[in-house]
Amino acid sequence: MLESQMPILIVLLVLGTGAKVVTVCKGGEPGALSRLGPAVLMPGRMQAPSLLVCGACELVLAGGLLLTTAPIFRWGTVCFFAMSTYVLVELRRRRPDAGCGCFGEVSSAPVGMRSIGRTVVLTGMSALSVAAPVSGWAAMGRPTWLMAAGVAVLVLLSPEIEELFDRVRYRAPCEQRPGPAEQVMLSRLRSSGPWRVHQDVLASTEPYDSWRELCWRFFAFTGRDRDDVVFAVYLSGRRPAVRVAVVANDGSDALPEYTPVSAQR
C-alpha cells in the first residue's frame, strides 16, 4: 500500500516537466512568464531558465521514483512538494495575480487554496511513498483503491481542469476569450468573502465603473470615506479569485487597515 501513490507522483512530475517546456518554447505574449510560478520571483532574463530548471528537477525525480528505490529521490520528492507549498503561499501573499505555473500556462489562474491544498496532498503522498519496498515501475502494475482515491482528490483540487475545459470550448487563452456578462461577474463578486469583509465600507453597493483587463473584471465603488474601493474578479470558475484594494481619493493608498489583499477560491 505504501507504493500506491508513486504512479500518481511520477505522472504529475512528468506532466509538469512537459508543460513547462512547452510553455517556454511556445513563448506567448510578452511578459506572460512573469505571471507563472517560480518565474514570478526572477528577473526577466531568468524567468524562462527558472521554469526549465524546475521542470528538469521534476523529470529527475520522476525518473528516480520510476526506476529505483533510492531514498534520495523519495526524500527529494517530499522536499520538492513541501517547497512548492511554501512558494505558492508566498505567491498568494506577494503576487495575488500570478498563477502557480505548475503545469505551464494552463496553471495561469491566480493561486488559491485549491492549488495550495494540492501541493499539501502531494507532499503527504510522497512522504507515504518513502518507505515503499518497490520502485515506481513495479507499482504501476498494482492499481489499488487508494490510488483511485488519490486521483479523485487531486482532480477536485486542480483548477487546471476547468481551464482545460474552457480552452477546449473556446480554443483560446483566458485573455482572448469572451468573458461572462458583467452582471454575472457582479453576482459572483457579491457572493465572495472579500465582498462581505468590505461591504460595510461602501457608500453604495452599485459600482460606478466597471472594465475588463486581460483575465480580470474590475468593479469600482465609492467608499464611505469617499475613497475608491476596487474589486478585481477573475473571469474563470464558479468561485473565482477576488482581489480588493482601497485607494484614497488623492490617488495614494488608503490606510493599511482598509487595504488588505484578499482572495477566494
Side-chain angles (χ1 to χ4, degrees):
M1 295 290 285
L2 292 176
E3 68 272 14
S4 61
Q5 305 304 314
M6 290 180 65
I8 300 175
L9 297 172
I10 293 167
V11 170
L12 289 181
L13 288 169
V14 171
L15 287 176
T17 297
K20 290 178 178 65
V21 171
V22 169
T23 297
V24 171
C25 294
K26 188 177 176 181
E29 64 176 15
L33 294 182
S34 66
R35 299 193 295 271
L36 295 177
V40 172
L41 307 176
M42 299 292 177
R45 63 182 180 180
M46 294 299 296
Q47 289 170 355
S50 68
L51 279 180
L52 292 176
V53 168
C54 183
C57 290
E58 290 176 291
L59 188 60
V60 169
L61 291 173
L65 292 177
L66 180 68
L67 301 174
T68 76
T69 59
I72 187 172
F73 294 109
R74 297 186 177 186
W75 282 112
T77 304
V78 175
C79 293
F80 176 82
F81 285 120
M83 181 70 72
S84 298
T85 303
Y86 171 76
V87 170
L88 293 188
V89 171
E90 282 297 297
L91 278 178
R92 191 168 188 259
R93 183 178 66 86
R94 295 168 54 184
R95 281 290 305 273
D97 62 312
C100 74
C102 308
F103 298 99
E105 63 176 355
V106 180
S107 301
S108 58
V111 174
M113 293 308 298
R114 290 170 66 190
S115 298
I116 295 173
R118 179 176 61 194
T119 58
V120 171
V121 170
L122 289 171
T123 303
M125 286 182 173
S126 54
L128 184 67
S129 303
V130 167
V134 299
S135 68
W137 181 258
M140 289 284 188
R142 303 178 184 177
T144 66
W145 66 267
L146 192 58
M147 186 186 301
V151 172
V153 170
L154 292 175
V155 168
L156 290 175
L157 293 175
S158 297
E160 291 85 0
I161 302 297
E162 298 171 4
E163 177 65 18
L164 286 172
F165 278 129
D166 285 341
R167 291 196 177 201
V168 169
R169 183 166 56 176
Y170 295 110
R171 299 191 181 279
C174 170
E175 59 270 19
Q176 297 177 8
R177 71 175 72 119
E182 181 177 328
Q183 289 303 314
V184 172
M185 299 305 297
L186 187 58
S187 175
R188 292 177 181 175
L189 167 63
R190 288 171 173 162
S191 66
S192 70
W195 172 265
R196 291 189 290 271
V197 170
H198 293 82
Q199 186 175 6
D200 291 341
V201 305
L202 302 180
S204 170
T205 57
E206 294 298 324
Y208 70 81
D209 195 10
S210 173
W211 67 96
R212 173 179 172 171
E213 291 184 16
L214 299 177
C215 298
W216 297 86
R217 167 65 66 175
F218 290 83
F219 295 96
F221 297 80
T222 301
R224 294 186 184 276
D225 296 329
R226 313 309 299 173
D227 296 325
D228 291 326
V229 184
V230 181
F231 293 89
V233 187
Y234 197 69
L235 293 177
S236 296
R238 293 181 179 275
R239 294 176 58 84
V242 177
R243 313 297 187 218
V244 57
V246 180
V247 182
N249 54 19
D250 61 358
S252 62
D253 287 343
L255 295 176
E257 59 265 33
Y258 292 119
T259 58
V261 176
S262 305
Q264 174 186 332
R265 286 295 293 172

